[in-house]
Amino acid sequence: MKKAYSELSREELLSLREKLGREFVRYKGQNIHLDMSRGKPSIAQLNLSMGMMDVFHSESDLKCEDGTDCRNYGVIDGIPEAKRLLASIAEVPPANIMIFGNSSLNVMYDTIARAYSLGIMGNPPWCRQGRVKFLCPSPGYDRHFKITEEFGIEMITIPMTPVGPDMDMVEEYVNNDPQVKGIWCVPKYSNPQGYSYSDETVRRFAALTPAANDFRIFWDNAYSVHHLYEDRRDTILEILDECEKAGHPHIVYKFTSTSKISFPGSGVSAIATSLANLADIQKRVSVQTIGHDKLNQLRHVRFFRDRYGVEAQMRRHADILRPKFEMVIGSLEEELGGLGIGEWTKPLGGYFISFESLPGCAKAIVGKAAEAGVKMTPAGATFPYGIDPNDTNIRIAPSYPPIDELRTATKIFALCVKMVSIDKLLES
Amino acid sequence: MKKAYSELSREELLSLREKLGREFVRYKGQNIHLDMSRGKPSIAQLNLSMGMMDVFHSESDLKCEDGTDCRNYGVIDGIPEAKRLLASIAEVPPANIMIFGNSSLNVMYDTIARAYSLGIMGNPPWCRQGRVKFLCPSPGYDRHFKITEEFGIEMITIPMTPVGPDMDMVEEYVNNDPQVKGIWCVPKYSNPQGYSYSDETVRRFAALTPAANDFRIFWDNAYSVHHLYEDRRDTILEILDECEKAGHPHIVYKFTSTSKISFPGSGVSAIATSLANLADIQKRVSVQTIGHDKLNQLRHVRFFRDRYGVEAQMRRHADILRPKFEMVIGSLEEELGGLGIGEWTKPLGGYFISFESLPGCAKAIVGKAAEAGVKMTPAGATFPYGIDPNDTNIRIAPSYPPIDELRTATKIFALCVKMVSIDKLLES
């Protein structure tokens, strides 16, 4: 059993610090360049979808099932078979789906942008409603927060728990403050903690009675089929269904995409929502574009065929990702377990592990790691305005590097945690 | 030499009207469904690009020339070789290009949307500047006008001439009214007239001294390489270059795409503008998305290679389009020449022929054609708010139907012109 750092004497800490410092210098000398900053699939994962490059050739029939020539203009909401495929991923009826372009982030941005300048379902645009607000369960996804920040929307931090956001706070804000227009959610294998919302959390979302008519839950179901294990999977209640049952069918926009199923940047994205919301969105989007890339929609359907094809693909992704997650978690346990200087999550899916350092250490750890050539997501990025009030949260993205590099990167990271933690303990 | 309808007696008109009416009834009985409403490439044109489906296969190297794996996230501004290709189409240096997704209309919409909610280069957002205005050379492109209408931007009609918009009016508005924020332009083979701006027109655009810092020319170069003839081509001065020379490098956004070069809906689009504008745009767009579809960018480059590949392809497009334009123009000449009830343009490129009826007849002609099963662009659509003050302009889109169908459609259209014109003459 290792001794917690807090129980070490000043002399022990100083001596350990010196030893760790020498180790750090050795790593620095190796001219390392490793990246654990972004949730990018690895090359091996990208290779899984190369068969998609063979599904079309110059003699292919590029009509979709209703006879539409996918090569030409038109079809604002997506071809029927793509709707079915994305609906199966999003766990909603195909009628509730609208297909978009290559990026669900872009769809979320545009949804905020439309609400801001044009308004939701006949309500005044947010830009004419004074200072509007968004709830931001944190730690959360930095790119979500950047969007609301861009539009000058006031962001309110809601603490995350292992079963979802603090719902007492969510209800308090949403049900009473008409300036609160939305909340960012990654309900399954959340970014960065890998937490999944409990049934009670989902039901409390569905039961919200927003003070604002134009309040919407932004339900980013980015990791719906992104399990690491066959036998241990998080499942969450389907939010559209729950909202319908609760009598609030219009309060949620659900987003999904194939970015981490096929190719990031060349996938297909979608919104799932009530028919009234869809009609509102389609009316607006038909001014924005004549249609999204139907050939890419058809390419995805011809390659994956259906939900079973997607699930088979996700098992292959899991086979590549699982050893990386296990290695990082095992290595953190080995290096830091029992030292009392950090905690980390052990997710069953998604793309991230979340690390909690001693208060006031996250920025310094990330800076130290960068010094040794290991790039992490900037500390603070997982909170609104990039400010983590306790400076404790660090997002670890194990997906991209090959496992050997990841092992080195994790060792260096753990070393930096130790050094910065000792410095902090010596300060006090 | 045919006699003009205005010179016919009332009796002659009545008898002719009856004869034409019988002909119309015969057409109606044929249960015809023809579409001359949208500028869509024909199936034969789409087939020209089917080779693009063979350029990638499951063993392909999908790295672009700088080593970036095009299958993964990243690259906000486009891969270098795609920039070069689109720059060659847009006739600008690659440094001035940013690549977007599948639709230049979407890029224009987003450009307006950003200006409206976030502002251009540090200027206040248009939504905070009271009633802002846009100049709309008309007849023009209906989808342009729909965008500015959507954002509540006041649209001011500027008359079109065969050498471009009425530049006296443009200068008067732009140089004096700080609420005028932009102008829609299709400078080459304009939609719908097929007019191209003269050198003087382009130079007067470049020499504008806008009262508003955030005024921009929206230069939609949709038909830059879309010539019908080898030996007779419109050429226009390059606007970025002219603006630079005139000392106003930032006043123009130029838009282009491969929609009518490869596949509509599955092409690649771009903005060309000054470096300062590009930096402003990229900063904003990097909040909206992680990147556009790089695989599709690479697919286009591997298929077309360069400007020469594009030009060869455009000659093949022209071989399909030219006979259709010539047939429609010839048929209009044969049916309506000398009757004094309409005029039409004879463009050397682009996708449209513009028809001018007697005052107050356009809506009735389009309605009549619809009755017989021939769908035209709604009359009025070529003007802001869908209102053609003289009710004379009709856009003819000859590209999509096979030539036999187009012949019938044109005959029916000409018949409707005759009938409605006689009705109008009889009224007065």
Side-chain angles (χ1 to χ4, degrees):
Chain A
M1 185 66 189
K2 282 182 273 186
K3 214 167 166 185
Y5 276 17
S6 59
E7 293 169 24
L8 297 182
S9 70
R10 192 171 173 84
E11 289 64 39
E12 286 173 309
L13 285 174
L14 280 169
S15 137
L16 180 56
R17 179 67 177 79
E18 208 190 305
K19 180 175 150 277
L20 297 170
R22 285 195 300 270
E23 205 180 328
F24 184 77
V25 169
R26 273 199 303 280
Y27 277 121
K28 262 184 78 168
Q30 292 175 31
N31 196 24
I32 286 165
H33 294 284
L34 300 170
D35 193 336
M36 294 205 294
S37 74
R38 303 294 334 171
K40 290 166 66 170
S42 63
I43 294 167
Q45 288 177 269
L46 300 173
N47 288 341
L48 295 176
S49 295
M50 284 304 286
M52 193 177 283
M53 298 297 141
D54 291 332
V55 300
F56 289 166
H57 53 81
S58 51
E59 303 297 317
S60 294
D61 178 6
L62 299 180
K63 290 199 193 71
C64 63
E65 64 185 30
D66 69 4
T68 302
D69 191 334
C70 292
R71 302 172 303 174
N72 220 328
Y73 284 115
V75 189
I76 196 73
D77 55 341
I79 63 174
E81 50 267 66
K83 284 186 178 183
R84 260 195 330 266
L85 182 68
L86 273 287
S88 78
I89 295 171
E91 302 171 328
V92 300
N96 290 99
I97 278 272
M98 175 171 175
I99 309 288
F100 286 78
N102 73 322
S103 158
S104 61
L105 187 75
N106 197 331
V107 181
M108 290 180 245
Y109 176 101
D110 283 9
T111 305
I112 297 277
R114 279 194 306 273
Y116 184 84
S117 47
L118 306 168
I120 291 176
M121 274 168 80
N123 290 284
W126 293 351
C127 71
R128 305 277 175 234
Q129 293 194 48
R131 188 145 181 89
V132 303
K133 304 174 192 169
F134 236 75
L135 306 186
C136 300
S138 300
Y141 181 27
D142 53 346
R143 292 189 190 269
H144 284 166
F145 302 155
K146 282 279 179 211
I147 293 174
T148 25
E149 185 173 359
E150 178 88 340
F151 286 90
I153 295 168
E154 185 182 328
M155 293 186 281
I156 298 165
T157 299
I158 305 287
M160 267 296 286
T161 80
V163 294
D166 179 331
M167 289 308 295
D168 291 342
M169 267 181 87
V170 170
E171 286 163 354
E172 176 69 23
Y173 275 112
V174 174
N175 296 347
N176 296 300
D177 186 348
Q179 294 306 103
V180 171
K181 300 300 186 187
I183 179 168
W184 289 117
C185 296
V186 183
K188 197 170 181 177
Y189 303 134
S190 70
N191 179 347
Q193 292 162 309
Y195 292 155
S196 296
Y197 294 8
S198 68
D199 291 356
E200 191 200 334
T201 299
V202 177
R203 289 204 182 97
R204 287 177 74 177
F205 265 107
L208 287 172
T209 51
N213 281 332
D214 50 357
F215 169 88
R216 292 293 182 275
I217 303 163
F218 283 64
W219 195 261
D220 182 3
N221 207 13
Y223 307 109
S224 58
V225 291
H226 302 62
H227 311 283
L228 289 172
Y229 297 92
E230 277 292 290
D231 51 340
R232 287 182 295 151
R233 293 181 169 195
D234 290 350
T235 54
I236 59 169
L237 288 177
E238 201 294 293
I239 184 72
L240 264 66
D241 194 36
E242 292 302 317
C243 288
E244 175 86 38
K245 283 194 276 185
H248 313 129
H250 310 308
I251 64 168
V252 63
Y253 297 136
K254 187 177 192 173
F255 303 91
T256 193
S257 87
T258 67
S259 292
K260 294 188 186 80
I261 298 173
S262 61
F263 297 116
S266 301
V268 175
S269 64
I271 281 185
T273 188
S274 73
L275 299 184
N277 277 330
L278 276 186
D280 182 51
I281 293 168
Q282 282 180 26
K283 192 187 65 181
R284 296 298 189 187
V285 174
S286 67
V287 178
Q288 185 178 23
T289 184
I290 304 174
H292 297 97
D293 186 341
K294 294 184 297 300
L295 287 179
N296 205 33
Q297 293 173 28
L298 190 64
R299 189 181 285 120
H300 276 72
V301 177
R302 297 246 171 113
F303 181 63
F304 287 115
R305 307 220 161 262
D306 54 24
R307 167 89 190 196
Y308 299 106
V310 170
E311 284 185 354
Q313 181 80 336
M314 294 319 291
R315 280 192 291 273
R316 292 185 280 264
H317 278 290
D319 288 343
I320 297 169
L321 285 166
R322 196 186 320 108
K324 295 185 178 182
F325 274 76
E326 290 180 347
M327 193 279 293
V328 171
I329 291 167
S331 182
L332 291 174
E333 184 58 40
E334 194 183 308
E335 297 286 338
L336 303 176
L339 301 185
I341 55 172
E343 294 180 352
W344 50 93
T345 58
K346 298 160 190 73
L348 300 178
Y351 264 67
F352 302 103
I353 294 163
S354 182
F355 185 86
E356 288 288 316
S357 71
L358 293 180
C361 289
K363 263 191 197 310
I365 292 168
V366 169
K368 200 96 199 144
E371 232 184 280
V374 175
K375 190 177 170 194
M376 313 287 301
T377 309
T382 52
F383 283 76
Y385 308 106
I387 299 164
D388 174 359
N390 300 315
D391 188 24
T392 58
N393 187 252
I394 298 173
R395 186 178 79 165
I396 300 173
S399 58
Y400 188 73
I403 196 153
D404 286 342
E405 294 184 10
L406 195 60
R407 186 172 288 117
T408 307
T410 310
K411 273 200 194 310
I412 293 173
F413 172 74
L415 175 62
C416 296
V417 171
K418 290 178 192 171
M419 292 169 72
V420 171
S421 301
I422 292 176
D423 292 346
K424 180 58 77 177
L425 291 167
L426 286 170
E427 266 175 32
S428 53
Chain B
M1 184 64 188
K2 281 182 274 187
K3 215 168 167 183
Y5 277 16
S6 59
E7 292 169 24
L8 297 182
S9 70
R10 192 173 173 81
E11 289 64 37
E12 286 173 309
L13 284 175
L14 280 168
S15 132
L16 181 56
R17 179 67 176 77
E18 207 189 309
K19 179 174 150 280
L20 297 170
R22 284 193 301 272
E23 205 180 327
F24 184 77
V25 169
R26 273 198 303 281
Y27 276 122
K28 261 183 80 167
Q30 292 174 32
N31 195 25
I32 286 165
H33 294 286
L34 300 171
D35 193 336
M36 295 205 292
S37 73
R38 303 292 336 170
K40 290 165 67 168
S42 63
I43 293 166
Q45 288 177 268
L46 299 174
N47 288 342
L48 294 176
S49 295
M50 284 304 284
M52 194 177 284
M53 298 297 142
D54 291 333
V55 300
F56 287 166
H57 53 81
S58 52
E59 305 295 318
S60 295
D61 178 6
L62 299 179
K63 290 199 194 70
C64 64
E65 65 185 29
D66 70 4
T68 301
D69 191 335
C70 292
R71 302 172 303 174
N72 220 327
Y73 284 114
V75 189
I76 196 73
D77 55 340
I79 63 174
E81 50 267 65
K83 284 186 178 182
R84 261 198 325 271
L85 182 69
L86 273 287
S88 78
I89 295 170
E91 301 171 328
V92 300
N96 291 99
I97 278 272
M98 177 173 173
I99 309 288
F100 287 78
N102 74 321
S103 158
S104 61
L105 186 75
N106 197 330
V107 181
M108 291 180 244
Y109 176 101
D110 283 9
T111 306
I112 297 278
R114 278 193 307 274
Y116 184 84
S117 46
L118 305 169
I120 291 175
M121 276 174 53
N123 290 284
W126 292 352
C127 71
R128 305 276 175 236
Q129 293 195 48
R131 188 146 180 88
V132 303
K133 306 173 191 169
F134 236 73
L135 306 185
C136 300
S138 301
Y141 181 28
D142 54 347
R143 292 189 189 269
H144 284 166
F145 302 157
K146 282 280 178 211
I147 293 173
T148 26
E149 184 173 0
E150 177 87 341
F151 285 90
I153 295 168
E154 185 182 329
M155 294 186 282
I156 297 165
T157 300
I158 303 288
M160 267 297 285
T161 80
V163 294
D166 179 331
M167 290 308 294
D168 291 342
M169 267 181 86
V170 171
E171 286 162 356
E172 176 70 24
Y173 275 111
V174 174
N175 296 347
N176 296 301
D177 186 348
Q179 294 307 102
V180 171
K181 300 300 186 187
I183 179 168
W184 290 117
C185 294
V186 183
K188 196 170 182 178
Y189 303 133
S190 69
N191 178 349
Q193 291 162 309
Y195 292 154
S196 296
Y197 294 9
S198 69
D199 291 356
E200 191 201 336
T201 298
V202 177
R203 288 205 184 97
R204 287 176 75 177
F205 265 108
L208 287 171
T209 52
N213 280 332
D214 50 356
F215 169 88
R216 292 293 181 277
I217 303 163
F218 283 63
W219 195 262
D220 182 3
N221 208 15
Y223 308 109
S224 57
V225 291
H226 301 61
H227 311 283
L228 289 172
Y229 297 92
E230 278 292 291
D231 52 341
R232 288 183 295 150
R233 293 179 168 196
D234 290 351
T235 54
I236 59 169
L237 288 178
E238 201 294 295
I239 184 72
L240 264 64
D241 194 35
E242 291 302 317
C243 288
E244 175 85 37
K245 283 195 277 185
H248 313 129
H250 310 309
I251 64 168
V252 63
Y253 296 136
K254 187 176 192 174
F255 303 91
T256 193
S257 87
T258 67
S259 291
K260 293 185 185 83
I261 299 173
S262 61
F263 297 116
S266 302
V268 176
S269 65
I271 281 184
T273 188
S274 73
L275 300 185
N277 277 331
L278 277 187
D280 182 51
I281 293 168
Q282 283 181 25
K283 192 187 65 179
R284 296 299 189 189
V285 174
S286 65
V287 178
Q288 184 178 23
T289 184
I290 304 173
H292 296 98
D293 187 341
K294 294 185 296 300
L295 287 178
N296 205 33
Q297 294 173 28
L298 190 63
R299 189 181 284 120
H300 275 71
V301 176
R302 297 248 171 111
F303 182 64
F304 287 115
R305 305 216 162 266
D306 54 24
R307 167 89 190 195
Y308 300 104
V310 170
E311 284 185 354
Q313 180 80 336
M314 295 319 292
R315 279 192 292 271
R316 292 184 281 264
H317 278 290
D319 288 343
I320 297 169
L321 285 167
R322 196 187 319 108
K324 295 185 178 184
F325 274 76
E326 290 180 349
M327 192 280 292
V328 170
I329 290 166
S331 182
L332 291 174
E333 184 58 41
E334 193 183 310
E335 297 285 339
L336 303 176
L339 301 185
I341 55 173
E343 294 180 352
W344 49 93
T345 57
K346 297 159 191 75
L348 299 179
Y351 263 68
F352 301 104
I353 294 163
S354 181
F355 184 87
E356 288 287 317
S357 71
L358 293 181
C361 288
K363 263 191 197 309
I365 292 168
V366 170
K368 200 97 200 143
E371 232 184 283
V374 175
K375 190 176 170 196
M376 314 287 300
T377 307
T382 53
F383 283 77
Y385 308 106
I387 299 163
D388 174 358
N390 300 316
D391 188 25
T392 57
N393 187 252
I394 299 173
R395 187 178 80 166
I396 300 175
S399 57
Y400 188 73
I403 197 154
D404 286 343
E405 295 185 9
L406 194 61
R407 186 173 288 115
T408 308
T410 309
K411 272 200 194 311
I412 292 173
F413 171 75
L415 175 62
C416 296
V417 171
K418 290 179 190 169
M419 292 169 72
V420 170
S421 301
I422 292 176
D423 291 347
K424 180 58 76 177
L425 290 166
L426 286 171
E427 266 176 32
S428 55

